[in-house]
Structure formats: C-alpha cells, structure tokens
Amino acid sequence: MSPQTMTSSRLPRIGMLGAGFMARTHTRARAAGAELDAIASSSPVRAAEAAAALGYARALTADELLAEGLPFVHVCTPNRNHMEYARSALRAGSHVICEKPLATSAAEALGLASEVEASGLFGAVPFVYRYHPMVREARARISSGEAGAVLTIAGQYLQDWLLDAADDNWRVGAGSGGPSRAFADIGSHLVDLVEFVSGDRITRLVATTRTVHSERGGQPVDTEDAVALTLELAGGGIGALLVSQVAPGRKNGLVLEIAGSRESLRFEQEDPERLWVGRRGHSMLLRRDPASLSADAARMCSLPAGHPQGYQDAFNAFVADVYAAAAGSTETACRPSPTARGRC
C-alpha cells in the first residue's frame, strides 16, 4: 500500500469508529503518537460515554466522523461494517487501520485492497502478534537459514470464552460477523504468523469445522466454534492447525512451532518473553534481550530485558509503525504493497 506523506509536524489526529475492546486497545496505543480527535459508536449516548472514558475530544456519528477526512481513521466496529467504513474513510482522504477481517468476503477484501493501492493512502490490518520480539527472532532465524529448510508446522489458537451455550456475542451471527467466526476472528492471526515467520505461502489446505452449540441467546448459530486444517506451503513444508473458541481453560492460547531441518522454533503468546529453540543435540530457551537478538527483534524491544512485554506492547509497536510509514518513514516493518510478505 502506497503511503502518503503527512506534511504536518503535529501529532496525527485520529478518528475511532467503535467503542468496544478493540477500540480501547487501539486507543491505548496513543503512545505511538496521536491526537485523540473524535469517536463514533452505536449511538450518540454511547459515543459521548466513550469519548469521556477514553479521552477523545469529540463524540460524532459515524457519518460525521468519516466526512471529516481526518489523517487516520481506525475501524473497530462489527465486521459487517468494515469494508464500507474503510472505503468511505479512504474516499474522504484518510489513512485507515481496519480491524480484521477486512471484509466478510474475499471479493470485497480484494476490491478494498485495490482501492487503497490506487489511492496513495496507507492501509493496515492489525496482525499484531508479528510485533512480539520473539516472533521476529523466530522469523530471523528462518530467513537467515540458521533453522534450515521448513519441514513441518504445528499451530493452535485456543480460547474458551464461548464454551457454554449461554455465552453469546455479536460475532456469533453471520449477519454481524460474517460467514466465519472462529477462523476469521482468531484463526486469521495464526495463519498470518505461519506465513510471516516461515517466509512462505500456504498453497493448499483441507479443513473441517464444527459448531458445538446450535443456538445461543435463543437464536440459531450459523458460524463455527472450531476449525481443524492441514496445509501445504509453496516450499514443500506441511502443517496442521487447530482453532477453537470452546477449549476449556484456554484464554488466548496462540502457539506456533516450526520444525526446520536444523532446529525447531516454538513461540507461545501467553509466554511471549521466550522462544524455545530445539536441536537434535540440545535445546535452549532464548529470553527476550535486545543485546542478543537479531536487529529486527531488538527493534521491537520497548523495555530492557527482564521487564516483560506483552500484547499491548505489540499493538503499540504496530500502530507506531503504521503512523511512521504513513508519514514517509522507511524505518518501519511496513511495506508499500498489500502483497508484500513483510507488510505491517
């Protein structure tokens, strides 16, 4: 995506669409450097409450916010609105950070990506787990050849917040969340990490899904609770992934293990300060220490060794990179094309 340079030296003014968990997470990333200008939510009352709670200067309707052409618009609404809001923001001249999924169909997502490409503006989707330093270290060990050729991949992303039939959320219905839930919501992160860390592309897969509860909140469920798939990479590696939102005791259990011909690498998101490196003769745990990591991993270290970094730190780093790239900086992990393997 082609970044457009922002000419003002002041902090970029941002507009936030949405006021839920992800909107709060995006807002906390203001450490990246942003002026909280306006927020819109599902109602004027909700927007006013969110503005007061989160520190936005103004509460607007979505249409009002989009029409202003603010330097940045963050789209953190239910999935059904992502494509429409992101497109409207782009056409008003705003750079866009849109939560995943970018759209609820592949055709709409590709169309939106093409529009961003032609606009001269910058667009990004928060696949923030790639901003953990130890994910970057795993990627560096594979790209440098130290781990050898990728042989196999094992990954899982397990949660339990929709375990019981009484658990409900707007994501459950295809009308609000789109035709896929567990895979689109969290499996997309796991697939992104597979391709980002391995440096390779998934070319073939076979998958099966399961919906455990046929009804939630008195309404029929038309999205999946769990997905299992096997995959093949362009380079010949094979893998198996399991995604579930009904795994008791698992809160955000994202795990990726890649076996190369010389060493295996295992990252666990709930224990992000270390990377397990397995070798035939011995294995070791690498701790997050910028003094001993690759340059790319060290750049993601916002705190000294021994001071744990987590999910919000990764999110802050992602947002900082997007703001910097849109301002014309080349010292980021972002790339100017939606097809570039190292994009934000």
Side-chain angles (χ1 to χ4, degrees):
M1 301 182 184
S2 301
Q4 170 179 292
T5 300
M6 293 180 290
T7 57
S8 172
S9 60
R10 64 180 291 184
L11 296 179
R13 292 159 50 233
I14 70 168
M16 181 67 64
L17 292 170
F21 167 71
M22 290 316 306
R24 296 193 298 273
T25 302
H26 282 239
T27 299
R28 294 189 191 103
R30 66 179 302 178
E35 178 185 336
L36 305 182
D37 191 332
I39 188 169
S41 189
S42 55
S43 71
V45 171
R46 175 78 167 133
E49 291 173 346
L54 299 177
Y56 285 86
R58 298 180 293 159
L60 303 176
T61 67
D63 288 343
E64 289 170 341
L65 189 153
L66 289 165
E68 293 213 353
L70 293 168
F72 271 96
V73 170
H74 292 239
V75 181
C76 300
T77 61
N79 301 347
R80 67 175 183 271
N81 297 323
H82 286 184
M83 190 274 294
E84 175 190 349
Y85 284 162
R87 184 175 59 191
S88 295
L90 288 166
R91 292 179 178 180
S94 301
H95 301 291
V96 176
I97 297 178
C98 182
E99 268 300 322
K100 49 83 190 128
L102 193 57
T104 54
S105 76
E108 288 182 344
L110 289 169
L112 184 59
S114 296
E115 187 160 343
V116 174
E117 187 92 6
S119 72
L121 295 163
F122 201 90
V125 179
F127 287 112
V128 298
Y129 295 115
R130 59 168 65 184
Y131 276 79
H132 280 295
M134 302 315 284
V135 165
R136 298 280 171 151
E137 181 65 18
R139 183 175 189 251
R141 296 178 80 91
I142 291 174
S143 64
S144 69
E146 187 170 2
V150 173
L151 304 178
T152 62
I153 293 175
Q156 62 183 45
Y157 201 157
L158 308 179
Q159 298 177 337
D160 69 358
W161 68 291
L162 289 171
L163 175 62
D164 299 326
D167 297 324
D168 201 6
N169 183 266
W170 61 260
R171 294 172 176 82
V172 168
S176 294
S180 173
R181 184 203 346 133
F183 192 78
D185 187 26
I186 60 176
S188 55
H189 282 293
L190 183 55
V191 167
D192 179 71
L193 281 189
V194 167
E195 294 194 335
F196 181 73
V197 176
S198 72
D200 207 351
R201 294 295 194 192
I202 296 171
T203 55
R204 295 200 302 169
L205 63 84
V206 60
T208 185
T209 66
R210 183 180 180 191
T211 301
V212 175
H213 301 295
S214 59
E215 289 189 3
R216 292 179 186 269
Q219 298 296 320
V221 174
D222 50 5
T223 56
E224 79 282 356
D225 291 311
V227 181
L229 63 89
T230 57
L231 60 86
E232 183 176 325
L233 300 177
I238 59 172
L241 308 180
L242 178 63
V243 177
S244 175
Q245 293 177 322
V246 290
R250 295 299 184 187
K251 305 307 177 186
N252 203 46
L254 171 58
V255 178
L256 178 66
E257 182 168 327
I258 298 181
S261 55
R262 285 192 285 276
E263 64 183 27
S264 296
L265 303 164
R266 181 181 179 91
F267 173 78
E268 301 181 12
Q269 195 277 152
E270 291 182 333
D271 189 11
E273 286 284 287
R274 64 183 189 176
L275 178 72
W276 179 77
V277 180
R279 294 175 179 167
R280 189 169 188 178
H282 67 280
S283 298
M284 59 184 175
L285 284 176
L286 295 183
R287 296 286 180 175
R288 185 189 62 78
D289 183 350
S292 60
L293 299 180
S294 66
D296 193 32
R299 189 178 75 86
M300 297 299 158
C301 294
S302 58
L303 295 171
H307 299 74
Q309 287 182 216
Y311 171 78
Q312 187 66 55
D313 297 290
F315 212 104
N316 295 352
F318 159 77
V319 172
D321 258 13
V322 176
Y323 289 168
S329 173
T330 58
E331 299 300 318
T332 76
C334 301
R335 297 294 182 267
S337 168
T339 58
R341 196 165 288 146
R343 65 195 184 279
C344 288

